[in-house]
Amino acid sequence: MDLKARLKTAVEAAAAQMGAPLDVAIQETPANKPGDYGTPAAFQIAKALGQNPAQVAQTLAQTVQLPEGIERVEAAGPFLNFFVDVGGFVRGVVQTPLNLPAQDGKVVIEHTSVNPNKELHVGHLRNVVLGDSMARIFRAAGYEVEVQNYIDDTGRQAAESLFAMDHYGREWNGEQKYDHWLGEGYVQLNADPAKADMEAGIREVMHKLEEGLLRPLVEQTVKAQLETCFRIGATYDLLVWESDVVGSGFLNRAMDILEGSRYTSHPTEGKFAGAFIMDVSEFMPGLEESNVVLRRSDGTAMYVAKDIGFQFWKFGLFEGMTFKPFMTDPAGNTIWTSDPTGDSAQAARFGHAHEVINVIDSRQKHPQMLVRSSLGVAGETEKEARSIHLSYEFVNLNGQTISGRKGITLAVDSALEQAAARGFAELSAKNPDLATRDDAQEIARRIGVGALRFAMLRNEPSRAFDFDLEKASSLQGDTAPYIQYAAVRAANILRKAQDAGHPVDGTGAAWDALPDVDLILAKQVAKLPEVVEQAVRAHSPHGVAQYALDLATSFNAWYNAKDKQGKPATNVLASPEGLREARLALVARVRTAFEDTLGLIGIEIPPAM
């Protein structure tokens, strides 16, 4: 448990001893106020006991048992301010790795879900990076995580690309990446003035897709798309195919569950006569029309009904699919797929979620609210609360709306190559020796991947933004290369120390010799567990990305700190013996914090920069 959490526990124990159990807030004190941490708990206790807050604060200060690392406490009016023991605090931070306790229940995260008819572009990338980062964060927070990728193999987009292949006599020569080649046919078809005359042929392809006759061609596209996802660092556990969801009867099973609800009905008159509807007014108040049609009067299902069935399956309300291995990822892990010829014995290992997070763009906000509400309609109120839509806005490209149909795109594969080249070129201009290193290509790759992933995370998901490749790969500003450079700087300090024979594990450290400038850096490192927990609560990785920037800024400020005479204040190797070892241990912990933090958002640190 980190110091802030231990302090919270100590104050809560003191409050309970005073006869007022409560949930205590512990905050960092502002820079212009005394102390390091503070709490307004005396206000809450005073209200509960009908006493004076300032007097309660005095009593609370005398009652609380200070945890190790806190030197003293002072009452300032109705507030309590805590002062850390600098040496003890820094030593505690250095000796405490990020290791959050295991949590109960599986979290299913669905992301990517790109139509299997073309290559991924940077608009798709936001979905992939958000979902993959959430999976990493939840795993770090102690949860079992299952990552699913939904494959719409019966949709119109896939049909158009496959139709274009035959219609234009297109043959793949094996040289161009398959999904890029297939996407060219999709653009060609949609630019063809005669497309309207081809509708019958396109529909024929759609029927073949629904019957599963063209699945091998779609699988080839999916594998090509996954190659791109692997390049960006994403991993998956299960591919779920639309045709299998439809064929497994999920829709009918979900409708059977909803039939037993007091919120569903079959009106016999009015505009909904003959339809099967559910009333979501209790779950989605304020709607102009709260009755949602699930089945039309002719018996055909609305599209949202299929999504409801799939969500019910994710939560384990019923079984119904069979599975088999699809491929292995670059790390050698098996990616499974739903398949009519698969093994039913594997059914228990997939789905059965405690919480479901669907990463889908903001256009699907209303349908996703209906999916969530359907769980409430079914009486599954706890599952309703744990049905999460991670909604995100669109990425624009050079001021234009991205459109695969019109060919206004930047492929992720191309963006990766360009970001790596731009970032490495800027870096090599400052450090020409990098270009001659044996691992120069790997350095460039990590810069490129980091640049793209961070560009997708630095903005809150609810904000649309314009993607700028040059800014994303710059060494300056709010970018991954800026953070990576700080992490490499920490590694360089440690390497020089080890070359000089100095320990970096705290051996021989004089912790009490550390001044406040080192405390400020250690306090930044100590925030990481709380940042992870906040990201889990918010269901967004944006806070982790911001923390990575803050950590880099704090480390650079520490590295460049000056004393009152304007001389370097934190030259580690020039520090007196004992202080030097303490600082080396702190730098080693900072380096680990960079690895942990960037690992949460799928960014690797280059070996040199």
Side-chain angles (χ1 to χ4, degrees):
M1 186 185 297
D2 64 88
L3 180 59
K4 191 174 177 182
R6 284 188 279 123
L7 191 56
K8 173 181 168 68
T9 300
V11 176
E12 288 176 346
Q17 187 177 336
M18 293 171 64
L22 51 84
D23 181 19
V24 169
I26 303 294
Q27 303 150 344
E28 285 195 49
T29 56
N32 62 341
K33 299 292 184 181
D36 298 289
Y37 297 104
T39 180
F43 277 112
Q44 297 168 272
I45 297 174
K47 184 177 181 181
L49 300 180
Q51 299 177 4
N52 180 280
Q55 293 176 342
V56 169
Q58 292 288 345
T59 304
L60 184 60
Q62 296 168 4
T63 306
V64 66
Q65 297 294 310
L66 300 180
E68 184 180 358
I70 297 295
E71 187 176 71
R72 70 184 194 278
V73 59
E74 293 180 358
F79 295 95
L80 252 60
N81 293 330
F82 299 92
F83 297 77
V84 304
D85 167 14
V86 176
F89 180 88
V90 177
R91 182 177 68 248
V93 170
V94 166
Q95 296 175 349
T96 306
L98 177 66
N99 186 19
L100 299 177
Q103 305 289 334
D104 294 331
K106 180 201 287 187
V107 178
V108 168
I109 301 176
E110 180 198 323
H111 71 81
T112 304
S113 306
V114 177
N115 287 318
N117 71 313
K118 58 185 179 300
E119 74 281 4
L120 275 72
H121 57 60
V122 292
H124 300 129
L125 186 59
R126 193 173 202 185
N127 185 307
V128 178
V129 173
L130 283 170
D132 182 67
S133 297
M134 286 310 318
R136 293 168 181 266
I137 290 167
F138 269 86
R139 286 194 186 101
Y143 291 88
E144 178 188 358
V145 176
E146 177 178 303
V147 177
Q148 297 182 4
N149 183 355
Y150 191 84
I151 312 299
D152 184 1
D153 61 322
T154 65
R156 185 177 183 88
Q157 288 88 343
E160 288 187 356
S161 289
L162 295 177
F163 173 81
M165 184 191 305
D166 289 335
H167 181 75
Y168 298 115
R170 305 184 76 243
E171 293 186 7
W172 182 53
N173 60 15
E175 295 179 4
Q176 188 179 12
K177 195 161 175 282
Y178 184 79
D179 52 345
H180 288 250
W181 171 81
L182 193 69
E184 289 178 354
Y186 178 70
V187 173
Q188 182 181 357
L189 176 67
N190 282 281
D192 194 328
K195 182 188 174 186
D197 299 330
M198 308 173 198
E199 185 62 26
I202 295 171
R203 287 194 171 277
E204 183 180 350
V205 175
M206 289 182 69
H207 291 315
K208 290 181 179 179
L209 285 170
E210 291 167 358
E211 295 170 5
L213 300 177
L214 303 178
R215 184 150 170 167
L217 291 176
V218 182
E219 288 183 349
Q220 188 173 0
T221 309
V222 171
K223 288 179 178 179
Q225 291 178 333
L226 288 177
E227 286 179 24
T228 301
C229 297
F230 297 152
R231 288 184 69 189
I232 206 72
T235 60
Y236 305 87
D237 299 300
L238 176 67
L239 309 181
V240 180
W241 295 67
E242 164 120 353
S243 56
D244 295 334
V245 170
V246 173
S248 296
F250 286 2
L251 188 152
N252 289 334
R253 295 187 186 195
M255 296 306 103
D256 288 344
I257 291 173
L258 292 174
E259 281 279 4
S261 171
R262 63 188 177 92
Y263 300 103
T264 59
S265 62
H266 295 269
T268 57
E269 56 185 25
K271 66 178 180 179
F272 297 118
F276 178 45
I277 66 172
M278 69 175 179
D279 179 3
V280 296
S281 57
E282 187 174 316
F283 308 96
M284 296 173 62
L287 291 178
E288 184 176 337
E289 175 54 74
S290 61
N291 289 310
V292 178
V293 175
L294 298 175
R295 286 192 193 273
R296 302 180 184 90
S297 57
D298 64 2
T300 59
M302 301 295 287
Y303 194 83
V304 73
K306 182 217 64 175
D307 288 342
I308 289 171
F310 187 35
Q311 192 81 341
F312 281 15
W313 171 80
K314 288 178 185 175
F315 274 112
L317 296 185
F318 48 74
E319 304 287 358
M321 277 197 289
T322 55
F323 306 93
K324 69 178 185 181
F326 183 72
M327 66 183 297
T328 56
D329 65 19
N333 301 312
T334 299
I335 299 176
W336 288 74
T337 182
S338 62
D339 192 283
T341 65
D343 182 2
S344 60
Q346 300 294 331
R349 69 184 294 172
F350 299 113
H352 300 88
H354 173 78
E355 179 169 298
V356 174
I357 303 173
N358 294 327
V359 185
I360 307 176
D361 69 64
S362 60
R363 292 175 301 181
Q364 296 299 311
K365 182 177 180 179
H366 182 71
Q368 282 295 303
M369 289 176 68
L370 294 177
V371 168
R372 176 189 174 108
S373 296
S374 69
L375 288 160
V377 169
E380 301 285 352
T381 53
E382 290 186 4
K383 291 180 174 61
E384 178 197 6
R386 298 192 298 268
S387 179
I388 309 299
H389 175 206
L390 200 175
S391 174
Y392 64 92
E393 293 295 333
F394 289 94
V395 178
N396 296 317
L397 183 63
N398 300 322
Q400 292 183 289
T401 300
I402 294 174
S403 172
R405 186 183 300 272
K406 297 178 181 178
I408 304 173
T409 66
L410 173 60
V412 173
D413 294 309
S414 300
L416 279 169
E417 293 164 5
Q418 293 179 45
R422 285 173 181 266
F424 193 75
E426 182 178 348
L427 196 61
S428 299
K430 295 185 176 183
N431 184 3
D433 291 341
L434 286 177
T436 62
R437 290 177 58 110
D438 292 338
D439 55 1
Q441 189 172 359
E442 176 62 13
I443 293 172
R445 184 192 70 80
R446 294 189 182 191
I447 291 172
V449 172
L452 292 195
R453 288 190 70 115
F454 196 81
M456 297 297 145
L457 296 176
R458 63 179 296 272
N459 295 291
E460 293 184 20
S462 59
R463 289 182 56 191
F465 72 95
D466 197 64
F467 179 72
D468 187 318
L469 189 61
E470 184 174 354
K471 289 182 179 179
S473 54
S474 173
L475 296 178
Q476 305 298 323
D478 298 348
T479 67
Y482 168 77
I483 303 168
Q484 291 169 317
Y485 192 85
V488 170
R489 171 176 276 172
N492 289 340
I493 293 173
L494 298 174
R495 177 177 48 78
K496 290 177 182 178
Q498 290 171 320
D499 289 346
H502 301 307
V504 300
D505 61 356
T507 301
W511 300 107
D512 291 340
L514 288 166
D516 284 348
V517 67
D518 299 272
L519 172 63
I520 293 170
L521 179 58
K523 286 171 71 174
Q524 187 67 46
V525 174
K527 293 179 182 178
L528 182 54
E530 185 178 357
V531 169
V532 174
E533 291 169 0
Q534 288 173 344
V536 167
R537 287 196 299 271
H539 296 95
S540 172
H542 169 258
V544 177
Q546 183 59 53
Y547 173 78
L549 271 177
D550 293 343
L551 182 62
T553 301
S554 295
F555 179 67
N556 287 336
W558 174 87
Y559 181 86
N560 294 310
K562 300 290 189 294
D563 61 20
K564 293 180 180 179
Q565 288 74 42
K567 297 179 180 179
T570 54
N571 188 325
V572 180
L573 297 182
S575 298
E577 186 176 354
L579 176 57
R580 176 186 62 209
E581 281 67 31
R583 281 180 164 162
L584 283 171
L586 176 58
V587 172
R589 183 65 185 86
V590 170
R591 166 69 187 197
T592 301
F594 275 122
E595 293 172 350
D596 290 339
T597 305
L598 291 176
L600 292 171
I601 52 178
I603 296 174
E604 299 172 280
I605 301 171
M609 287 184 78

